[in-house]
């Protein structure tokens, strides 16, 4: 991925994080996906008083992209303003894998960033043949 694209992806995740609705966990997360069209879609975590209705930032970003007609995701960045990297949960990895192959999963926090591969974090997904 080009440096400029990576920066735009990280900026979008960071910006989305600033809109986090997380009054229950106080754990803000921002995510951004790069779609095959070149467009970037971002999302933040939106919690709910019922807890179970909470949706993660990663899934918000994926759902926004797919809702706009995208069906292929090339990369995802996840940002959290904490001292340690936040890995996507299993449900988000599963949803992401529906629209992505072995893409880079870029995790960033206040101290830096680290890139993993989707299949490293989710070696076998539900539904795989
Ligand atoms: Zn999740």
């Amino acid at each position: 991925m080009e440096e400029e694209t990576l920066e735009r992806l990280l900026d979008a995740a960071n910006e989305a994080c600033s809109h986090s609705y997380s009054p229950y966990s106080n754990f803000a997360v921002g995510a951004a996906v790069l779609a095959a069209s070149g467009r970037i879609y971002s999302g933040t975590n939106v919690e709910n008083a019922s807890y179970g209705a909470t949706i993660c930032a990663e899934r918000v970003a994926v759902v926004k992209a797919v809702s706009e007609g995208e069906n292929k995701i090339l990369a995802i960045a996840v940002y959290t303003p904490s001292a340690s990297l936040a890995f996507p949960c299993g449900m988000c990895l599963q949803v992401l894998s529906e629209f992505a192959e072995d893409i880079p999963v870029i995790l960033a926090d206040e101290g830096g960033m680290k890139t993993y591969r989707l299949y490293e974090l989710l070696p076998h997904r539900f539904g795989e043949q």
Side-chain angles (χ1 to χ4, degrees):
M1 186 186 320
E2 289 180 19
E3 188 65 29
E4 188 256 339
T5 304
L6 175 61
E7 275 183 30
R8 285 198 303 128
L9 201 58
L10 288 168
D11 285 351
N14 197 314
E15 168 71 16
C17 186
S18 70
H19 302 301
S20 172
Y21 179 75
S22 46
Y24 305 103
S25 72
N26 291 310
F27 192 72
V29 183
V33 296
L34 171 67
S37 68
R39 291 183 64 189
I40 287 174
Y41 300 84
S42 63
T44 191
N45 53 331
V46 181
E47 295 184 347
N48 185 271
S50 74
Y51 290 25
T54 293
I55 183 166
C56 306
E58 298 93 321
R59 271 178 291 144
V60 171
V62 170
V63 167
K64 282 173 69 178
V66 174
S67 297
E68 296 296 321
E70 306 284 358
N71 58 18
K72 191 169 173 63
I73 291 169
L74 304 180
I76 184 169
V78 181
Y79 171 77
T80 184
S82 68
S84 58
L85 301 170
F87 286 90
C89 75
M91 191 182 292
C92 285
L93 293 172
Q94 174 71 28
V95 169
L96 189 58
S97 73
E98 188 79 22
F99 305 101
E101 294 179 352
D102 194 22
I103 63 168
V105 178
I106 303 145
L107 307 182
D109 63 15
E110 290 179 332
M113 57 171 262
K114 185 163 184 192
T115 301
Y116 294 84
R117 305 296 300 191
L118 179 58
Y119 291 173
E120 180 182 8
L121 302 179
L122 185 72
H124 299 284
R125 72 180 184 98
F126 180 81
E128 105 183 338
Q129 301 296 315

